[in-house]
Amino acid sequence: MPPTRSTDAPPSPGILDYWKHAFLHHWNLLLFGGSAMVAALSPWPDALLPIVGGLELGYLTALSGIPKFRTAVAARMAAKARSKRGDQAPATAARESLANMLESLPAPELRRFSELRQRCSEMRDIASGVRGQTQGTADSADAVRTPALDRLLFLFLKLLMTKAALERFLKTTSEPELNTRLEDMRTRLNAAQSSGDERVIRSLQDSVADADLRLSNYRKSVKDAEFVAIELDRIETKIQALVEMGVSRQDPDSLSHQVTAAADSMRQTEETVNQLQHLTGMADHLQDPPPILESDIGRMLTHER
């Protein structure tokens, strides 16, 4: 069985590739073009043009047989192929990271995100309209596809991940349990201080500090979860209002500016999400918004929910 060539291997040049590179060399184009023009304008174009063509074919064949030239062509084609793969790599990585983020969501959060994205797609289609629509409405549909709207959807997705992570954390314990633990440590510390055992005192002092820190972290997480829930409702309503304006408004520039302004107003929310990356693991995911509206979300998900 003949060996198979890897799809990542650089292409092997053929004779036509060598001829193409030789023909497109600037000096050859200058000489060949000038000779052909002189022959065409001469009194004997029927005789001279075939001669010019024959000489050009001989030049291409001779140059294609030179090992150094063939090596240079192969290197140039390989570099072009690598460059093309390099251009595709970021897009592929973005799709994979987006798919990982979606698959990490619990079913209710994924459904909420999918429904909001679907709402955006539906409003975009309505804004595109049917035959006979005005150009202003078509431009409004383009405004619904702005990168700023992808940024809002991406922030909404990250907030959903944060919400899910906070809920998992808060389910691991409760404030009454942490309070009971802290009070128990304090009681034991008071008893140890009465006995005067320094080793026990130091150990219990450390335990009290840790129990107090756990309680503070829990209370902070409760506040973070409340903020995230409010922000999710706010951004969801904001996105729905913006995409619905894409149907009702005829001024695409105004709509595009409002989408961008809404995305820029989410700085505080983005900072909160960034501070909670240790809970969600989003540091390993995308930091810049991918083209969510143009992505095939259904195909990205590799398992059914």
Side-chain angles (χ1 to χ4, degrees), residues 111-180:
R111 184 165 54 251
R112 185 177 181 182
F113 176 77
S114 299
E115 288 174 354
L116 180 59
R117 179 184 173 278
Q118 180 63 27
R119 179 68 171 168
C120 292
S121 297
E122 290 172 355
M123 290 299 100
R124 179 182 62 183
D125 293 340
I126 293 174
S128 296
V130 293
R131 198 172 297 171
Q133 71 182 108
T134 64
Q135 182 61 39
T137 306
D139 290 340
S140 294
D142 291 335
V144 173
R145 292 192 289 265
T146 59
L149 186 55
D150 274 334
R151 181 178 163 194
L152 285 173
L153 284 169
F154 188 52
L155 178 57
F156 187 76
L157 173 59
K158 292 195 291 185
L159 279 170
L160 286 172
M161 292 181 64
T162 303
K163 174 178 179 289
L166 285 169
E167 287 177 348
R168 287 195 300 269
F169 170 71
L170 294 175
K171 286 179 181 178
T172 61
T173 186
S174 65
E175 185 167 354
E177 179 183 345
L178 293 172
N179 267 319
T180 300

Coordinates of all heavy atoms in Angstrom, one line a residue, residues 111-180:
R111 N -29.9 26.7 28.0 CA -31.2 27.0 27.3 C -31.5 28.5 27.3 O -31.9 29.0 26.3 CB -32.3 26.2 28.0 CG -33.7 26.4 27.4 CD -34.7 25.4 27.9 NE -34.8 25.4 29.3 CZ -34.3 24.4 30.1 NH1 -33.7 23.3 29.6 NH2 -34.4 24.4 31.4
R112 N -31.2 29.2 28.4 CA -31.4 30.6 28.5 C -30.5 31.3 27.5 O -31.0 32.3 26.8 CB -31.1 31.1 29.9 CG -31.4 32.6 30.1 CD -31.2 33.0 31.6 NE -31.5 34.4 31.8 CZ -31.3 35.0 33.0 NH1 -30.9 34.3 34.0 NH2 -31.6 36.3 33.1
F113 N -29.3 30.9 27.4 CA -28.4 31.6 26.4 C -28.9 31.3 25.0 O -28.9 32.2 24.1 CB -27.0 31.1 26.6 CG -26.0 31.6 25.6 CD1 -25.5 32.9 25.7 CD2 -25.6 30.8 24.5 CE1 -24.6 33.4 24.7 CE2 -24.7 31.3 23.5 CZ -24.2 32.6 23.6
S114 N -29.2 30.1 24.7 CA -29.6 29.7 23.3 C -30.9 30.5 22.9 O -31.0 30.9 21.8 CB -29.9 28.2 23.3 OG -28.7 27.5 23.5
E115 N -31.8 30.6 23.9 CA -33.1 31.3 23.6 C -32.8 32.8 23.3 O -33.4 33.4 22.4 CB -34.1 31.2 24.7 CG -34.6 29.8 24.8 CD -35.5 29.6 26.1 OE1 -35.5 30.5 26.9 OE2 -36.1 28.5 26.2
L116 N -31.9 33.4 24.0 CA -31.6 34.8 23.8 C -30.9 35.0 22.5 O -31.2 35.9 21.7 CB -30.7 35.4 24.9 CG -30.3 36.8 24.8 CD1 -31.5 37.7 24.7 CD2 -29.3 37.2 25.9
R117 N -29.9 34.1 22.2 CA -29.3 34.2 20.9 C -30.2 33.9 19.7 O -30.2 34.6 18.7 CB -28.1 33.1 20.8 CG -27.4 33.1 19.5 CD -26.4 32.0 19.4 NE -25.8 31.9 18.1 CZ -26.3 31.3 17.1 NH1 -27.5 30.7 17.3 NH2 -25.7 31.2 15.9
Q118 N -31.2 33.0 19.9 CA -32.2 32.7 18.9 C -33.1 34.0 18.7 O -33.5 34.3 17.6 CB -33.0 31.5 19.3 CG -34.1 31.2 18.3 CD -33.6 30.7 17.0 OE1 -32.5 30.2 16.9 NE2 -34.4 30.9 15.9
R119 N -33.4 34.6 19.8 CA -34.2 35.9 19.7 C -33.4 36.9 18.8 O -34.0 37.6 18.0 CB -34.4 36.4 21.1 CG -35.2 37.7 21.2 CD -36.6 37.6 20.7 NE -37.4 38.8 21.0 CZ -38.6 39.0 20.5 NH1 -39.2 38.0 19.7 NH2 -39.3 40.1 20.7
C120 N -32.1 37.0 19.1 CA -31.3 38.0 18.2 C -31.4 37.6 16.8 O -31.5 38.4 15.9 CB -29.9 38.0 18.7 SG -29.7 38.7 20.4
S121 N -31.3 36.3 16.5 CA -31.3 35.8 15.1 C -32.6 36.1 14.5 O -32.7 36.5 13.3 CB -31.0 34.3 15.1 OG -29.7 34.1 15.5
E122 N -33.7 35.8 15.2 CA -35.1 36.1 14.7 C -35.3 37.6 14.4 O -35.8 37.9 13.3 CB -36.1 35.6 15.7 CG -36.2 34.1 15.8 CD -37.1 33.6 17.0 OE1 -37.6 34.5 17.7 OE2 -37.3 32.4 17.1
M123 N -34.8 38.4 15.3 CA -35.0 39.9 15.0 C -34.2 40.3 13.9 O -34.6 41.2 13.1 CB -34.6 40.6 16.3 CG -35.6 40.5 17.5 SD -37.3 41.1 17.1 CE -38.1 39.5 16.8
R124 N -33.0 39.7 13.7 CA -32.1 40.0 12.6 C -32.8 39.6 11.3 O -32.8 40.4 10.3 CB -30.8 39.3 12.7 CG -29.9 39.6 11.5 CD -28.6 38.8 11.7 NE -28.8 37.4 11.7 CZ -27.9 36.5 11.9 NH1 -26.6 36.8 12.1 NH2 -28.2 35.2 11.9
D125 N -33.5 38.5 11.3 CA -34.2 38.0 10.1 C -35.4 38.9 9.8 O -35.6 39.2 8.6 CB -34.6 36.6 10.2 CG -33.5 35.6 10.3 OD1 -32.4 36.0 9.9 OD2 -33.6 34.5 10.8
I126 N -36.1 39.3 10.8 CA -37.2 40.2 10.6 C -36.7 41.5 10.1 O -37.4 42.1 9.2 CB -38.0 40.4 11.9 CG1 -38.7 39.1 12.3 CG2 -39.1 41.5 11.8 CD1 -39.3 39.1 13.7
A127 N -35.6 42.0 10.6 CA -35.1 43.3 10.2 C -34.7 43.2 8.7 O -34.7 44.2 8.0 CB -33.9 43.8 11.1
S128 N -34.2 42.1 8.3 CA -33.8 41.9 6.9 C -35.0 42.0 6.0 O -34.9 42.4 4.9 CB -33.1 40.5 6.7 OG -31.9 40.5 7.4
G129 N -36.2 41.6 6.6 CA -37.4 41.8 5.9 C -37.6 40.9 4.7 O -36.9 39.9 4.4
V130 N -38.7 41.2 4.0 CA -39.0 40.5 2.8 C -38.8 41.4 1.5 O -38.4 42.5 1.7 CB -40.5 40.0 2.8 CG1 -40.7 39.0 3.9 CG2 -41.4 41.2 3.0
R131 N -39.1 40.8 0.4 CA -38.9 41.6 -0.9 C -39.7 42.9 -0.8 O -40.8 42.9 -0.5 CB -39.3 40.7 -2.0 CG -38.8 41.1 -3.4 CD -39.2 40.0 -4.4 NE -38.6 38.8 -4.1 CZ -38.8 37.6 -4.8 NH1 -39.8 37.7 -5.7 NH2 -38.3 36.5 -4.4
G132 N -39.0 43.9 -1.2 CA -39.7 45.2 -1.3 C -39.4 46.1 -0.1 O -40.0 47.2 0.0
Q133 N -38.6 45.6 0.9 CA -38.3 46.4 2.1 C -37.5 47.6 1.7 O -36.9 47.7 0.7 CB -37.6 45.6 3.1 CG -36.1 45.3 2.6 CD -35.4 44.4 3.6 OE1 -35.2 43.2 3.4 NE2 -35.1 44.9 4.8
T134 N -37.4 48.6 2.6 CA -36.6 49.8 2.4 C -35.1 49.5 2.7 O -34.8 48.6 3.5 CB -37.1 50.9 3.3 OG1 -36.9 50.5 4.7 CG2 -38.5 51.2 3.1
Q135 N -34.2 50.3 2.2 CA -32.8 50.1 2.4 C -32.5 50.4 3.8 O -31.6 49.7 4.4 CB -32.0 51.0 1.5 CG -30.5 50.9 1.6 CD -30.0 49.5 1.3 OE1 -30.5 48.9 0.3 NE2 -29.1 48.9 2.0
G136 N -33.2 51.3 4.5 CA -32.9 51.6 5.9 C -33.1 50.5 6.8 O -32.3 50.2 7.7
T137 N -34.1 49.7 6.5 CA -34.4 48.5 7.3 C -33.3 47.5 7.1 O -32.8 46.8 8.0 CB -35.7 47.9 7.0 OG1 -36.7 48.9 7.2 CG2 -36.1 46.8 8.0
A138 N -32.8 47.3 5.9 CA -31.8 46.4 5.6 C -30.5 46.8 6.3 O -29.8 45.9 6.9 CB -31.5 46.3 4.1
D139 N -30.2 48.1 6.4 CA -29.0 48.5 7.1 C -29.2 48.3 8.6 O -28.2 48.1 9.3 CB -28.8 50.0 6.8 CG -28.3 50.3 5.4 OD1 -27.8 49.3 4.8 OD2 -28.5 51.4 4.9
S140 N -30.4 48.4 9.1 CA -30.7 48.2 10.5 C -30.4 46.7 10.8 O -29.9 46.4 11.9 CB -32.1 48.5 10.9 OG -32.4 49.9 10.8
A141 N -30.7 45.8 9.9 CA -30.4 44.4 10.1 C -28.9 44.2 10.2 O -28.4 43.4 11.0 CB -30.9 43.6 9.0
D142 N -28.1 45.0 9.4 CA -26.7 44.9 9.5 C -26.2 45.4 10.8 O -25.2 44.9 11.4 CB -26.0 45.7 8.4 CG -26.2 45.1 7.0 OD1 -26.5 43.9 7.0 OD2 -26.2 45.9 6.0
A143 N -26.9 46.4 11.4 CA -26.5 46.9 12.7 C -26.7 45.9 13.8 O -26.0 45.9 14.8 CB -27.3 48.2 13.0
V144 N -27.7 45.0 13.6 CA -28.0 44.0 14.6 C -26.8 43.0 14.6 O -26.6 42.3 15.6 CB -29.3 43.3 14.3 CG1 -29.5 42.1 15.2 CG2 -30.5 44.3 14.5
R145 N -26.0 42.9 13.6 CA -24.9 42.0 13.5 C -23.6 42.6 13.9 O -22.5 42.1 13.7 CB -24.8 41.5 12.1 CG -25.9 40.6 11.6 CD -25.6 39.9 10.3 NE -25.5 40.8 9.2 CZ -26.6 41.0 8.4 NH1 -27.7 40.4 8.6 NH2 -26.5 41.8 7.4
T146 N -23.6 43.7 14.6 CA -22.4 44.4 15.0 C -21.6 43.6 16.0 O -22.1 42.9 16.8 CB -22.7 45.8 15.6 OG1 -23.5 45.6 16.7 CG2 -23.4 46.7 14.6
P147 N -20.2 43.7 15.9 CA -19.4 43.0 16.9 C -19.8 43.4 18.4 O -19.6 42.6 19.3 CB -18.0 43.5 16.6 CG -18.1 43.9 15.1 CD -19.4 44.4 14.9
A148 N -20.3 44.6 18.6 CA -20.7 45.1 19.9 C -21.8 44.2 20.5 O -21.8 43.9 21.7 CB -21.1 46.5 19.9
L149 N -22.7 43.7 19.6 CA -23.8 42.8 20.1 C -23.2 41.5 20.4 O -23.6 40.8 21.4 CB -24.8 42.7 19.0 CG -26.1 41.9 19.4 CD1 -26.7 42.4 20.6 CD2 -27.1 41.9 18.2
D150 N -22.2 41.0 19.7 CA -21.5 39.8 20.0 C -20.8 39.9 21.4 O -20.8 39.0 22.2 CB -20.4 39.4 19.0 CG -21.0 38.6 17.8 OD1 -22.0 37.9 18.0 OD2 -20.4 38.7 16.7
R151 N -20.3 41.1 21.7 CA -19.6 41.4 22.9 C -20.7 41.3 24.1 O -20.4 40.7 25.1 CB -19.0 42.8 22.9 CG -18.3 43.1 24.2 CD -17.6 44.5 24.0 NE -17.3 45.1 25.3 CZ -17.0 46.4 25.4 NH1 -17.0 47.2 24.4 NH2 -16.6 46.8 26.6
L152 N -21.9 41.8 23.9 CA -22.9 41.7 24.9 C -23.3 40.3 25.1 O -23.5 39.8 26.3 CB -24.1 42.5 24.5 CG -24.0 44.1 24.6 CD1 -25.2 44.8 24.0 CD2 -23.8 44.5 26.1
L153 N -23.5 39.5 24.0 CA -23.8 38.1 24.2 C -22.7 37.3 24.9 O -23.0 36.4 25.7 CB -24.1 37.5 22.8 CG -25.5 37.9 22.2 CD1 -25.5 37.4 20.7 CD2 -26.6 37.3 22.9
F154 N -21.5 37.7 24.6 CA -20.3 37.0 25.2 C -20.3 37.3 26.7 O -20.0 36.4 27.5 CB -19.1 37.4 24.5 CG -17.8 36.6 24.9 CD1 -17.8 35.3 24.9 CD2 -16.7 37.3 25.4 CE1 -16.7 34.5 25.3 CE2 -15.6 36.6 25.8 CZ -15.6 35.2 25.7
L155 N -20.6 38.5 27.0 CA -20.6 38.9 28.5 C -21.7 38.1 29.2 O -21.6 37.7 30.3 CB -20.8 40.4 28.6 CG -20.9 40.9 30.1 CD1 -19.7 40.5 30.9 CD2 -21.0 42.4 30.1
F156 N -22.9 38.0 28.5 CA -24.0 37.3 29.0 C -23.6 35.8 29.3 O -24.0 35.2 30.3 CB -25.2 37.4 28.1 CG -26.5 36.8 28.6 CD1 -27.2 37.5 29.5 CD2 -26.9 35.6 28.1 CE1 -28.4 37.0 30.0 CE2 -28.1 35.1 28.6 CZ -28.9 35.7 29.5
L157 N -22.9 35.2 28.3 CA -22.5 33.9 28.4 C -21.5 33.7 29.6 O -21.6 32.7 30.4 CB -21.8 33.4 27.1 CG -21.1 32.0 27.2 CD1 -22.1 30.9 27.5 CD2 -20.4 31.8 25.8
K158 N -20.6 34.6 29.8 CA -19.6 34.5 30.9 C -20.4 34.7 32.2 O -20.0 34.1 33.2 CB -18.5 35.6 30.7 CG -17.6 35.3 29.6 CD -16.3 36.1 29.6 CE -16.5 37.5 29.4 NZ -15.2 38.3 29.3
L159 N -21.4 35.6 32.3 CA -22.1 35.7 33.5 C -22.9 34.5 33.8 O -23.0 34.1 35.0 CB -23.1 36.9 33.4 CG -22.5 38.3 33.6 CD1 -23.5 39.4 33.1 CD2 -22.1 38.5 35.0
L160 N -23.4 33.8 32.8 CA -24.1 32.5 33.1 C -23.1 31.5 33.7 O -23.5 30.7 34.6 CB -24.7 32.0 31.8 CG -26.0 32.7 31.3 CD1 -26.3 32.2 29.9 CD2 -27.1 32.5 32.3
M161 N -21.9 31.4 33.1 CA -20.9 30.6 33.7 C -20.6 30.9 35.2 O -20.4 30.1 36.0 CB -19.6 30.6 32.9 CG -19.7 30.0 31.5 SD -18.2 30.1 30.6 CE -17.1 29.0 31.5
T162 N -20.5 32.2 35.4 CA -20.2 32.7 36.8 C -21.3 32.3 37.7 O -21.1 31.9 38.9 CB -20.0 34.2 36.8 OG1 -18.9 34.6 35.9 CG2 -19.6 34.7 38.2
K163 N -22.6 32.5 37.3 CA -23.7 32.2 38.1 C -23.7 30.7 38.4 O -23.9 30.3 39.6 CB -25.0 32.5 37.3 CG -26.3 32.0 38.0 CD -27.5 32.5 37.1 CE -28.8 32.0 37.7 NZ -29.0 30.6 37.7
A164 N -23.4 29.8 37.4 CA -23.4 28.4 37.7 C -22.3 28.0 38.7 O -22.5 27.2 39.6 CB -23.2 27.6 36.4
A165 N -21.1 28.7 38.5 CA -20.0 28.4 39.5 C -20.3 28.8 40.9 O -20.0 28.1 41.8 CB -18.8 29.1 39.0
L166 N -20.9 30.0 41.0 CA -21.3 30.5 42.3 C -22.4 29.6 43.0 O -22.3 29.3 44.2 CB -21.8 31.9 42.2 CG -20.8 33.0 42.0 CD1 -21.4 34.3 41.6 CD2 -19.9 33.2 43.2
E167 N -23.3 29.1 42.2 CA -24.3 28.3 42.8 C -23.7 27.0 43.2 O -24.1 26.4 44.3 CB -25.4 28.0 41.7 CG -26.3 29.2 41.5 CD -27.3 28.9 40.4 OE1 -27.2 27.9 39.7 OE2 -28.3 29.8 40.3
R168 N -22.8 26.4 42.5 CA -22.1 25.2 42.9 C -21.3 25.4 44.2 O -21.4 24.6 45.1 CB -21.1 24.7 41.9 CG -21.8 24.1 40.6 CD -20.8 23.3 39.8 NE -19.7 24.2 39.3 CZ -19.7 24.8 38.2 NH1 -20.7 24.7 37.4 NH2 -18.6 25.6 37.8
F169 N -20.7 26.6 44.3 CA -19.9 26.9 45.5 C -20.8 27.1 46.8 O -20.6 26.5 47.8 CB -19.1 28.2 45.3 CG -18.5 28.7 46.6 CD1 -17.4 28.0 47.2 CD2 -18.9 29.8 47.2 CE1 -16.8 28.5 48.4 CE2 -18.4 30.3 48.4 CZ -17.3 29.7 48.9
L170 N -21.9 27.8 46.6 CA -22.8 28.1 47.7 C -23.6 26.8 48.2 O -24.0 26.8 49.3 CB -23.8 29.2 47.3 CG -23.2 30.5 47.0 CD1 -24.3 31.5 46.5 CD2 -22.6 31.1 48.3
K171 N -23.7 25.8 47.3 CA -24.3 24.6 47.7 C -23.4 23.7 48.6 O -23.9 22.8 49.2 CB -24.8 23.8 46.5 CG -26.0 24.4 45.7 CD -26.3 23.5 44.5 CE -27.6 24.1 43.8 NZ -27.9 23.4 42.6
T172 N -22.2 24.0 48.6 CA -21.2 23.2 49.4 C -21.3 23.4 50.8 O -20.8 22.6 51.6 CB -19.8 23.4 48.9 OG1 -19.4 24.8 49.1 CG2 -19.6 23.0 47.4
T173 N -21.9 24.6 51.2 CA -22.0 24.9 52.7 C -23.1 25.9 52.8 O -23.9 26.2 51.9 CB -20.7 25.5 53.2 OG1 -20.8 25.7 54.6 CG2 -20.4 26.8 52.5
S174 N -23.3 26.4 54.1 CA -24.3 27.4 54.3 C -23.8 28.3 55.4 O -22.9 28.0 56.2 CB -25.6 26.7 54.8 OG -25.4 26.1 56.0
E175 N -24.5 29.5 55.5 CA -24.1 30.5 56.5 C -24.3 30.0 57.9 O -23.4 30.2 58.8 CB -24.8 31.8 56.2 CG -24.3 32.9 57.2 CD -24.8 34.3 56.8 OE1 -25.4 34.4 55.7 OE2 -24.5 35.3 57.5
P176 N -25.4 29.4 58.2 CA -25.6 28.8 59.6 C -24.5 27.8 59.9 O -24.0 27.8 61.1 CB -27.0 28.2 59.6 CG -27.7 28.9 58.5 CD -26.7 29.2 57.5
E177 N -24.1 27.0 59.0 CA -23.1 26.0 59.3 C -21.7 26.7 59.5 O -21.0 26.3 60.5 CB -22.9 25.0 58.1 CG -21.9 24.0 58.2 CD -21.7 23.1 57.0 OE1 -22.6 23.1 56.1 OE2 -20.7 22.4 56.9
L178 N -21.4 27.7 58.8 CA -20.2 28.4 59.0 C -20.2 29.2 60.3 O -19.2 29.3 61.0 CB -19.9 29.3 57.8 CG -19.6 28.6 56.4 CD1 -19.6 29.7 55.3 CD2 -18.3 27.9 56.5
N179 N -21.3 29.8 60.6 CA -21.4 30.5 61.9 C -21.2 29.5 63.1 O -20.6 29.9 64.0 CB -22.8 31.2 62.0 CG -22.8 32.6 61.5 OD1 -21.8 33.3 61.8 ND2 -23.8 33.0 60.8
T180 N -21.9 28.4 63.0 CA -21.7 27.4 64.0 C -20.3 27.0 64.2 O -19.8 26.9 65.3 CB -22.6 26.1 63.7 OG1 -24.0 26.5 63.6 CG2 -22.4 25.1 64.8

